[in-house]
């Protein structure tokens, strides 16, 4: 038994993670895959890694030093459960089973509960960064017990991305906290991508720019406060020319976007938690709308398109950068609100500043911006929303007029901006002196006797709408 860590599941993610582990000083890595041919292939391709390969699960377990620590990187769902069962039959109290796949966090909570009586630690770990990140340094979001993190933490820190000298890993919270935070990360990723997509669309349609010119603007934005991985790759994608036709790559790709579920999970959970995550929801819906070609064709035939507003392209791009920044602040504010609500519901002690920090490297939403979020939550962990943190409050106020011009210009020109639009409406909702929620309460009381509270005194009230329309106080409600 000589390996301090093992990896089960050697498809692209598992292989890359195993190679990353093996490349770090002090690690000896055991590897196993259901189909042995894949194990042999990996070991033959990477003799430098010094893998300890096992065909059987018994030999794999025997090759691990105690406390045995194995990372599962197999297909989420039934595959994960099958491997957990194989390991759990052979592991002993104190050993650690890590699920590094994209599990849905309630599954992680259930799996930990199931293993708890055996004394085996089960740790759900969110890993972001795709195959490239797995190989060179992902952002890592581990849940599970404090005790298991003492063994696992240093191993994960050795392979994580590094941002400003710090490894992008922190113990997020117990049981499913890691997979929960990874889910929210993906939700924010959806929102961010949608906003960038809308900015591109506006620069082309209203700004009248060709993809390569739009690419130049994104490349310029990547030098400033908007600097991020997603902005950077957007510039590269927009410069790409299709080899077959010589057209811009973006013009030959079918405009119907898919999704694999984590964005949907984020929104479903936010609905359950009562957290408004409109930016994320609109991004998920925007992909769904794009994938309705029959409806799009039907309405396209009927709708008279409005005239595109005339703008100065340079000034428009400047406005757009501000609108994009403000909308991004909203998306992240909503995402962190979902984390706070989840932590409260499931009893996790989540450090928001540390989450922002571990997202600075390795993951898809890595961005300069996250330093500001970390600062905001370090300065005051109890702010009610990121929008009130001094830096963001200033940025949004300074960008507000531009933000409104962009949303108005988009509406007048017939360019869909569900991301920008919902972000601005969310901001305006929070900023409004009075909301029409008062009228909605009146409607609810009218048809369903749902009662309401008053602005001028304590208690709960109901108006006798179908009677003489006097108001009655619900007894005992003032206390
Ligand atoms: P896949 O999700 O494609 O799964 C393939 C692996 O699962 C193979 O090793 C396969 O073994 C194994 N497997 C299956 Br399928 N059923 C099994 C079972 N019943 N028992 C044992 N092994 C089984 O691999 P991947 O794309 O490398 O992803 C691995 C995990 O990482 C997934 O949970 C995925 O969602 C997640 N992921 C994360 C990111 C990210 O950016 N964080 C990206 C991509 C994937 P075989 O060789 O014998 O068929």
């Amino acid at each position: 038994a000589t390996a301090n860590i093992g990896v089960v599941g050697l498809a692209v993610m598992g292989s890359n993670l195993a190679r990353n582990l093996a490349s770090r000083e002090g690690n000896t890595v055991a590897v196993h895959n259901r189909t042995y041919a894949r194990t042999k292939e990996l070991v033959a391709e990477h003799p430098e890694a010094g893998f300890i390969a096992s065909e059987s699960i018994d030999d794999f377990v025997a090759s691990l030093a105690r406390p045995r620590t194995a990372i599962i990187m197999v297909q989420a769902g039934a595959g994960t459960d099958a491997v957990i069962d194989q390991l759990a039959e052979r592991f002993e109290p104190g050993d650690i089973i890590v699920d590094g796949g994209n599990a849905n966090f309630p599954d992680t909570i259930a799996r930990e509960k199931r293993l708890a009586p055996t004394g085996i630690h089960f740790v759900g770990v969110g890993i972001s960064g795709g195959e490239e990140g797995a190989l060179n340094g992902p952002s890592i979001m581990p849940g599970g017990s404090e005790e298991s993190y003492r063994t696992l933490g240093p191993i994960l820190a050795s392979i994580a991305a590094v941002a400003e000298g710090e490894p992008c890993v922190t113990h997020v919270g117990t049981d499913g906290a890691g997979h929960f935070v990874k889910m929210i990360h993906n939700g924010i990723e959806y929102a961010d991508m949608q906003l960038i997509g809308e900015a591109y669309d506006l620069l082309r349609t209203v700004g009248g720019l060709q993809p390569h010119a739009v690419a130049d603007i994104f490349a310029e934005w990547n030098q400033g406060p908007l600097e991020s991985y997603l902005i950077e790759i957007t510039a590269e994608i927009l410069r790409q020319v299709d080899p077959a036709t010589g057209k811009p790559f973006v013009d030959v790709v079918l405009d119907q976007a898919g999704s694999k579920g984590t964005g949907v999970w984020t929104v479903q959970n936010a609905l359950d938690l009562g957290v408004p995550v409109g930016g994320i929801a609109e991004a998920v819906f925007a992909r769904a709308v794009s994938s309705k070609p029959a409806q799009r064709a039907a309405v396209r035939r009927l709708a008279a398109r409005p005239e595109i507003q005339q703008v100065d392209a340079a000034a428009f791009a400047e406005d757009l950068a501000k609108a994009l920044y403000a909308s991004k602040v909203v998306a992240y504010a909503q995402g962190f609100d979902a984390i706070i609500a989840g932590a409260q519901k499931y009893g996790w002690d989540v450090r928001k500043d540390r989450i922002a920090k571990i997202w600075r490297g390795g993951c898809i939403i890595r961005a300069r911006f996250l330093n500001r979020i970390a600062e905001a939550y370090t300065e005051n962990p109890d702010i009610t929303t990121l929008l009130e943190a001094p830096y963001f409050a200033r940025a949004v106020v300074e960008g507000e007029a531009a933000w409104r011009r962009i949303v108005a210009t988009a509406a007048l020109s017939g360019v869909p901006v569900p991301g920008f639009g919902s972000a601005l409406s969310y901001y305006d909702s929070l900023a409004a002196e009075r909301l029409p929620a008062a009228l909605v309460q009146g409607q609810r009381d009218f048809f369903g006797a749902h009662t309401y509270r008053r602005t001028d005194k304590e208690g709960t009230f109901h108006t006798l709408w179908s009677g003489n329309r006097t108001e009655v106080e619900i007894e005992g409600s003032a206390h």
Side-chain angles (χ1 to χ4, degrees), residues 143-160:
S145 67
E146 286 282 353
E147 192 189 336
S148 62
Y149 194 70
R150 276 195 285 279
T151 304
L152 201 55
I155 298 172
L156 297 179
S158 76
I159 58 164

Side-chain angles (χ1 to χ4, degrees), residues 211 215 230 232-241 248-250 253:
L230 283 170
E232 179 192 328
I233 66 166
T234 298
E236 285 190 39
I237 294 162
L238 290 174
R239 283 210 182 95
Q240 177 76 8
V241 172
F249 166 83
V250 72
V253 176

Side-chain angles (χ1 to χ4, degrees), residues 38-62:
R38 175 70 202 123
T39 312
K40 284 197 288 192
E41 193 184 357
L42 175 70
V43 170
E45 279 168 8
H46 297 284
E48 79 287 351
F51 289 129
I52 300 178
S54 300
E55 179 167 7
S56 77
I57 194 83
D58 283 322
D59 290 346
F60 171 77
V61 170

